[in-house]
Amino acid sequence: MKMKFSTVALAALLFVGLPLTSSFAQIGISIGIAPPPIPIYEQPYCPAEGYIWTPGYWGYDSDYYWVPGVWVPPPRVGFLWTPGYWGYNGSNYFFNDGYWGPTVGFYGGINYGYGYGGQGYYGGEWVGNTFRYNTAVTRVNTSVIRNTYVNKQVINKTGSRASFNGPGGTTAKPTAQEQAAAKAEHIPATSAQQTRVEAAKKDPALHAANNHGKPKAEAIKALDRNNEAQAGAGKAKGKTGQEAANGNSAFGHKQGDATTRTKGSQNNAFGKAQSAEAHASHTAKAHRANTAATAHRASQHAQVASHRPQPAAVRQAGPAASTHAKGQATQPNKKKKPANEEPGGGH
């Protein structure tokens, strides 16, 4: 059952030795049944540089359910994860929420594995703005992630899988350093972590009532696949929207795609050709009209001249020479006419 933050929370704080000023000694759940032991599971490989492992733990709703561990990016460079843990106050078991901070605080002495041996975190360390991974306790593909080192001395060989602090579980007490860490600046679980908790809560295969405290590896892998699919769909949706926005922007600047622009250029070229053809045709017609008018005037001039008293040789040679000359000027234009009209006629 769920209980409000009251005397149970106060007793819990006194039990684990955390100061009352700690803003992250949050007790939201208190029940009378101890959580199952920490199951043995395989850590997946780190997906990218800078991600930090947050171990799996037992959550509680109507019963206990397993929240598988996951690699997540920290909310801030230099921050580490302090896992949440279950504690016992003499009558009930209560849960303390995990948090992000510059140092790892008290998490009940629980051996979560993969660098969380009960105190501190030895799966990796910050060196400036770079996170380095200890491959002695952390699964890292060194062909992809190069920032690694090896420290086998931190391996916890106790073999305890207790999932709570108290009788029958661990009996660790917070150190002065861990108490100081509880007072330092904190950031709660990220949205990615919270989403994973909700997904695990809704998965029947991860509930202890169904798996008897031993969640199957396939159920954990199925949860990972679903999370990856949802994350991929979200990214694809965002990418599609961005591409659409880019497409609209490009359309505004370029006025259509390449095909549309090519057709437009062709249409423009065709229009120019038609305009040129029309201009050429008009010029040819005007030239023919001028030639005809000139010939007509020459004919009239010849007729007038024929009535004037002139020497016969001059009267015969004038009109004949004029007519022959005009005929020579006209003949080349008649040959060029089909060539000028061919582009228009060809269409």
Side-chain angles (χ1 to χ4, degrees):
M1 61 179 178
K2 297 182 179 180
M3 299 180 64
K4 296 181 179 179
F5 184 79
S6 58
T7 56
V8 174
L10 178 60
L13 290 173
L14 295 175
F15 175 79
V16 299
L18 289 176
L20 295 179
T21 57
S22 172
S23 60
F24 274 76
Q26 298 178 5
I27 291 81
I29 301 175
S30 178
I31 60 175
I33 303 174
I38 300 295
I40 297 175
Y41 60 92
E42 184 178 51
Q43 182 188 46
Y45 281 101
C46 180
E49 291 186 359
Y51 277 53
I52 294 179
W53 177 248
T54 58
Y57 65 96
W58 289 103
Y60 189 88
D61 187 30
S62 57
D63 69 331
Y64 285 105
Y65 60 91
W66 179 246
V67 181
V70 63
W71 291 99
V72 296
R76 187 180 301 175
V77 171
F79 270 31
L80 298 170
W81 175 248
T82 296
Y85 72 97
W86 289 94
Y88 185 70
N89 68 347
S91 60
N92 288 291
Y93 297 89
F94 54 90
F95 189 75
N96 293 270
D97 291 331
Y99 57 88
W100 293 93
T103 58
V104 178
F106 183 69
Y107 53 91
I110 312 299
N111 180 15
Y112 287 109
Y114 301 108
Y116 296 94
Q119 186 179 54
Y121 175 58
Y122 301 100
E125 61 184 9
W126 286 100
V127 179
N129 294 333
T130 301
F131 190 80
R132 300 175 65 238
Y133 299 87
N134 181 9
T135 56
V137 293
T138 300
R139 297 189 73 201
V140 175
N141 185 348
T142 55
S143 63
V144 177
I145 298 177
R146 308 283 185 177
N147 302 317
T148 62
Y149 65 99
V150 178
N151 181 7
K152 297 181 179 180
Q153 297 179 355
V154 300
I155 298 177
N156 189 336
K157 297 181 180 180
T158 61
S160 173
R161 307 304 296 177
S163 61
F164 64 93
N165 182 294
T170 67
T171 57
K173 301 293 181 181
T175 65
Q177 184 178 0
E178 288 171 332
Q179 288 181 339
K183 298 178 182 180
E185 181 183 6
H186 294 146
I187 295 178
T190 64
S191 59
Q193 292 173 281
Q194 295 172 3
T195 298
R196 192 169 181 82
V197 173
E198 292 301 317
K201 184 189 300 184
K202 297 176 182 178
D203 191 339
L206 296 177
H207 280 251
N210 301 320
N211 59 38
H212 306 292
K214 297 179 180 180
K216 295 182 179 180
E218 184 54 39
I220 297 175
K221 291 179 180 179
L223 180 71
D224 291 337
R225 286 194 296 268
N226 291 336
N227 288 350
E228 290 174 1
Q230 291 176 358
K235 291 180 179 179
K237 183 177 180 181
K239 184 177 180 181
T240 302
Q242 184 62 34
E243 288 175 349
N246 292 339
N248 292 336
S249 177
F251 179 80
H253 289 289
K254 298 181 180 179
Q255 295 298 314
D257 57 15
T259 303
T260 304
R261 294 193 299 273
T262 300
K263 290 182 178 179
S265 299
Q266 292 173 347
N267 292 337
N268 291 337
F270 178 67
K272 291 179 180 179
Q274 286 183 322
S275 178
E277 292 164 9
H279 178 72
S281 177
H282 178 74
T283 301
K285 290 179 180 179
H287 181 69
R288 289 195 299 271
N290 292 335
T291 302
T294 302
H296 179 69
R297 289 194 298 271
S299 177
Q300 289 180 337
H301 178 71
Q303 291 176 2
V304 172
S306 64
H307 293 288
R308 294 176 180 176
Q310 296 179 358
V314 175
R315 185 170 54 249
Q316 292 175 357
S322 175
T323 302
H324 179 69
K326 298 301 180 181
Q328 286 180 335
T330 304
Q331 290 302 321
N333 291 333
K334 289 183 179 179
K335 292 181 180 179
K336 292 181 180 179
K337 177 180 177 181
N340 291 336
E341 292 181 353
E342 185 176 356
H347 292 287

